[in-house]
Amino acid sequence: MLFYLNLSFNQFSQRIPAQVGKLIGLVLLDLSHNMLSEEIPTLFQSLQSLMTLNLSYNNLSGEIPATFEQLRGLYSVDISHNQLHGPIPNIQAFQNASIEALQGNKGLCGNASGLPPCTPLSNKGHNKKLFVVMFPFLLVASLSISSIALLFTFKKRKKDADEERQSSAGGEIFFSIASFNGKILYEEIIRATKDFDAQYCVGKGGYGNVYKAELSSGDVVAVKKFHPLHTGKMADQRQFLNEARALVDTRQRNIVKFYGFCSSADRSFLVYKYLERGCLASVLSNDEESKKLDWNKRVNIVKGVVHALSYLHHDCSPPIVHRDITSSNILLDLECEAHLSDFGAAKLLHPDSSNWTNIAGTYGYIAPELSYTMKVTEKCDGFSFGVLALELIVGRYPDDFLSDLSILTAEHIPLNCVLDQRLSSPTARS
């Protein structure tokens, strides 16, 4: 169940231990600034949850194992300042890595900024003759250039080490997808919200608050800032990590767009696309706003949630159960299109697991059978969705209606007592 493992800035030596490969829940692994040596073991192939890997400033040698290509969830990697050579793995984490994250090695190659392409050697005989002729000239030139380069490299390495030490001391982890750079995005958010000033707060919850941030690029994002993860409050940290892990690979129009996260001792937040109309619960509780939500729009919201759940249950591997489908977690854009948010209680359904768990979700939306089976299935979301659909029909949380269902059949409930009275009755067209 270990999510973060940070052993940086120690004096660990020899080979990376094979036991690390058993920590299959790892999201972040930082072994930087040690004296680890030998080749990188193939154990990393089992770390399917790994998103951030830092092996910089060690003495690792050889080629990077091809098994890294199995880590499709890996988004951030730093292998700088080792003795590595050969091709980099053919995955986005390496191909999108900055030159700073790859520099200081013997001879890496591949499809990444600042690296030469990997080309097979040919015409060995011709190249050998050319090398013999050019060697004296190349030797003098390379010695001169190397001396100058060594001086600059030494200074830059010292500066990078100092900066990294300061960053690691703060324990900050930046992660970004889409077109945003993680560290720049972090600095932009701190500036745009004046370090999370209350005037930019647009929502409050049990785990944290939501802030509106307008970036210098003109983009507007919503920032869900979690309460400080104090020692012992593992539930808060688990909620944060669950949401980050569930959102990294989701790409569906009815699921809120995720830009990235920052995690540190005093600041942990998630960054989403900002949706102008806010949550469905707020709209339904406001008489004026709810009247703008006519029957056609409400049907479209139901369809949007269905599409999102179908994607999570059937198109994700492993399937994801949201476990907290409520009107507070449905966000609306200007066209009243529904976007599912808040994946803090989400559960990944592993086929080789019983998927038993503690109860999670919002009272009134939780499937009743979960209280005694303690087993999560897609049906948990199905019950919550049914309550949400009723809420859209009634115009508020259907507590009276749900209690009436236990003693009445639908035939005894007049239709005009069910429909939201703030709207005119739906016609055949609507």
Side-chain angles (χ1 to χ4, degrees):
M1 297 305 295
L2 188 64
F3 289 117
Y4 284 2
L5 180 58
N6 189 342
L7 300 175
S8 61
F9 290 95
N10 284 285
Q11 297 182 15
F12 296 122
S13 59
Q14 301 182 29
R15 188 181 180 89
I16 298 174
Q19 288 89 334
V20 175
K22 297 179 181 179
L23 304 176
I24 58 174
L26 275 184
V27 174
L28 176 140
L29 176 61
D30 190 343
L31 302 175
S32 64
H33 292 272
N34 281 290
M35 296 182 290
L36 297 169
S37 58
E38 302 186 42
E39 295 185 350
I40 299 175
T42 58
L43 56 89
F44 289 101
Q45 66 181 350
S46 59
L47 305 181
Q48 293 297 312
S49 297
L50 193 64
M51 295 194 298
T52 302
L53 175 65
N54 192 345
L55 300 176
S56 63
Y57 290 96
N58 280 287
N59 295 310
L60 299 169
S61 58
E63 295 189 356
I64 304 169
T67 52
F68 268 82
E69 296 186 2
Q70 299 176 26
L71 303 181
R72 295 297 175 181
L74 190 62
Y75 274 90
S76 174
V77 65
D78 189 344
I79 55 170
S80 61
H81 302 288
N82 282 284
Q83 304 296 320
L84 300 168
H85 66 271
I88 60 171
N90 187 29
I91 56 174
Q92 287 188 349
F94 283 90
Q95 294 172 349
N96 295 338
S98 64
I99 187 60
E100 288 79 15
L102 303 173
Q103 68 183 3
N105 285 287
K106 278 189 172 180
L108 294 175
C109 62
N111 184 22
S113 176
L115 292 185
C118 298
T119 54
L121 294 175
S122 59
N123 300 323
K124 288 185 178 179
H126 176 73
N127 289 341
K128 187 174 180 181
K129 291 178 183 177
L130 183 62
F131 179 74
V132 171
V133 175
M134 295 296 294
F135 178 75
F137 302 100
L138 290 172
L139 182 61
V140 175
S142 62
L143 282 173
S144 302
I145 294 171
S146 297
S147 300
I148 298 170
L150 236 132
L151 180 62
F152 281 101
T153 301
F154 177 77
K155 288 183 177 180
K156 188 173 189 309
R157 181 165 178 168
K158 185 176 184 301
K159 181 182 177 183
D160 289 345
D162 290 340
E163 289 178 353
E164 181 123 354
R165 189 175 289 106
Q166 291 172 0
S167 176
S168 295
E172 292 173 345
I173 303 153
F174 306 104
F175 166 76
S176 180
I177 56 180
S179 58
F180 295 99
N181 174 281
K183 188 169 179 60
I184 294 175
L185 179 60
Y186 170 84
E187 293 169 350
E188 278 271 277
I189 288 169
I190 298 300
R191 177 200 59 79
T193 61
K194 296 181 180 178
D195 201 4
F196 298 102
D197 189 274
Q199 65 177 310
Y200 297 97
C201 183
V202 294
K204 295 184 178 182
Y207 286 103
N209 300 333
V210 180
Y211 297 81
K212 178 181 178 182
E214 185 171 347
L215 307 181
S216 57
S217 62
D219 293 296
V220 180
V221 296
V223 184
K224 182 178 181 181
K225 181 178 181 293
F226 286 70
H227 298 313
L229 304 178
H230 298 299
T231 304
K233 289 193 174 181
M234 291 305 296
D236 290 6
Q237 187 170 25
R238 189 181 304 279
Q239 206 265 1
F240 170 79
L241 290 169
N242 275 352
E243 189 153 0
R245 291 172 64 184
L247 285 167
V248 164
D249 293 321
T250 53
R251 299 287 186 278
Q252 205 274 340
R253 63 174 297 178
N254 294 111
I255 295 176
V256 65
K257 189 172 183 179
F258 181 54
Y259 290 140
F261 72 76
C262 169
S263 175
S264 67
D266 58 345
R267 287 194 191 96
S268 293
F269 57 79
L270 304 166
V271 186
Y272 305 97
K273 180 180 180 180
Y274 180 75
L275 296 169
E276 297 81 359
R277 287 190 179 272
C279 71
L280 177 61
S282 297
V283 174
L284 290 177
S285 64
N286 184 301
D287 288 342
E288 290 302 317
E289 290 298 318
S290 63
K291 289 176 183 177
K292 299 175 184 176
L293 217 58
D294 59 33
W295 293 114
N296 286 327
K297 289 177 180 176
R298 297 190 187 198
V299 169
N300 194 52
I301 290 172
V302 169
K303 290 180 179 178
V305 178
V306 168
H307 291 318
L309 291 178
S310 175
Y311 171 82
L312 293 174
H313 294 173
H314 304 293
D315 297 330
C316 291
S317 182
I320 299 174
V321 178
H322 186 279
R323 295 206 297 169
D324 200 13
I325 305 294
T326 71
S327 55
S328 296
N329 292 333
I330 305 298
L331 302 179
L332 304 178
D333 59 22
L334 287 175
E335 286 72 40
C336 295
E337 187 79 21
H339 300 264
L340 184 58
S341 71
D342 201 340
F343 283 72
K347 175 79 173 177
L348 278 63
L349 295 187
H350 296 284
D352 56 347
S353 170
S354 63
N355 294 306
W356 288 351
T357 185
N358 294 327
I359 294 178
T362 301
Y363 178 77
Y365 295 85
I366 302 173
E369 69 270 15
L370 188 61
S371 61
Y372 58 86
T373 64
M374 305 297 284
K375 184 174 182 179
V376 177
T377 69
E378 295 90 338
K379 294 178 181 180
C380 297
D381 283 347
F383 181 88
S384 303
F385 167 75
V387 177
L388 175 70
L390 279 174
E391 190 170 354
L392 278 162
I393 294 171
V394 178
R396 56 178 175 78
Y397 177 74
D399 47 357
D400 297 335
F401 182 75
L402 288 173
S403 61
D404 288 343
L405 284 179
S406 62
I407 55 175
L408 298 172
T409 64
E411 297 173 355
H412 296 114
I413 304 175
L415 182 62
N416 60 354
C417 294
V418 175
L419 301 178
D420 189 344
Q421 300 300 305
R422 295 169 295 187
L423 297 181
S424 57
S425 298
T427 61
R429 292 184 178 179
S430 59

